[in-house]
Amino acid sequence: MIASTGQHHVLTPNPEMLLASRSNPAFRSVLQYSSLNVPDGVGLLLASMFLGNPIRERVSGIDLITALCRVTDQPVFLLGAGPGVAERAAEVLHKQNPSLFIAGTYGGSPNAAEEAAIIERINQSGAKILFVAYGAPRQDLWIARNLKRMPGVGVAMGVGGSFDFLAGVLTRAPKWMRSIGLEWLFRLLQQPSRIGRIFNAVVVFPLIVLLTEKRQGS
Ligand code: UDP
């Protein structure tokens, strides 16, 4: 996608995003027409197994960013997250990959009033890859709305809290916890305010998958 001349939107869906898409047709359409959806949630793996079409593995947004930055020689722009976080995340990525070209970083906000100035900034930077951390679904609606206004950007990806992890604002779960599908629990301990989202992911989403399968099976 980076090498191609087209423009691509990459999303990292999790169960909460799929639930949100049920009542948000604009977001559902973004998910359906994106270039790539990378499964970032153990709930999606379990659901896919249950539905008989198993997804091979979970790929988190942060792992994809790290892997991409390791191999690309194209300029990267980091947009979003709290004050100073995108800058710190860029420093960390640059330390991991000294040849990585950071075209720019900016916090900003997804508010419509800021859109034109942010787009101008990204266009001026010459970025080819754009990571947007405004949380889902806002970041992905922002990308869908604005990608065409940033003709130099080949790949834009909504990355949620990835900058916070890179910058050390949040700590990632230990590997063993990730390997047994409990990264969400570790994050909940750091951010108890996510309890509503987690309830949706671990209770509401599985129930809807079960009910949908039952309805289709009967
Ligand atoms: N965020 C932001 N502006 C906003 C809303 C969110 O910069 O108006 C940032 C927030 O600081 C965080 C990121 O969006 O760094 C992701 O938020 P969230 O925890 O919702 O993401 P998740 O990883 O759960 O998708």
Side-chain angles (χ1 to χ4, degrees), residues 80-82 110 133-135 138 160-161 164 187 194 197:
Y134 285 144
R138 253 183 306 189
D164 295 305
R187 188 159 178 199
R194 291 171 71 88
R197 291 182 47 164

Side-chain angles (χ1 to χ4, degrees), residues 27-178:
F27 184 42
R28 190 163 63 237
S29 149
V30 171
L31 275 163
Q32 280 168 335
Y33 294 105
S34 62
S35 300
L36 177 68
N37 288 328
V38 179
D40 184 3
V42 67
L44 297 186
L45 265 62
L46 296 175
S48 70
M49 269 189 241
F50 178 72
L51 296 171
N53 191 7
I55 294 170
R56 214 169 62 196
E57 63 178 329
R58 172 178 172 238
V59 177
S60 69
I62 184 167
D63 286 336
L64 187 55
I65 295 179
T66 310
L68 198 55
C69 288
R70 205 176 298 133
V71 296
T72 190
D73 57 357
Q74 296 296 319
V76 172
F77 196 106
L78 283 76
L79 175 69
V85 175
E87 289 76 3
R88 177 80 196 105
E91 277 167 27
V92 171
L93 285 171
H94 194 255
K95 206 170 275 172
Q96 288 171 358
N97 319 281
S99 62
L100 181 69
F101 179 9
I102 303 285
T105 61
Y106 189 61
S109 93
N111 296 338
E114 277 202 48
E115 228 159 77
I118 291 177
I119 286 162
E120 171 72 12
R121 194 183 273 260
I122 292 166
N123 285 338
Q124 291 289 330
S125 77
K128 177 85 179 179
I129 301 171
L130 172 65
F131 298 127
V132 184
Y134 285 144
R138 253 183 306 189
Q139 62 198 13
D140 297 299
L141 293 169
W142 192 96
I143 292 171
R145 210 166 48 238
N146 294 311
L147 190 54
K148 284 209 162 59
R149 299 165 71 190
M150 302 177 289
V153 172
V155 173
M157 176 174 151
V159 298
S162 301
F163 297 171
D164 295 305
F165 287 109
L166 284 167
V169 175
L170 293 171
T171 308
R172 250 194 122 178
K175 274 216 172 94
W176 69 265
M177 247 179 139
R178 283 185 242 160

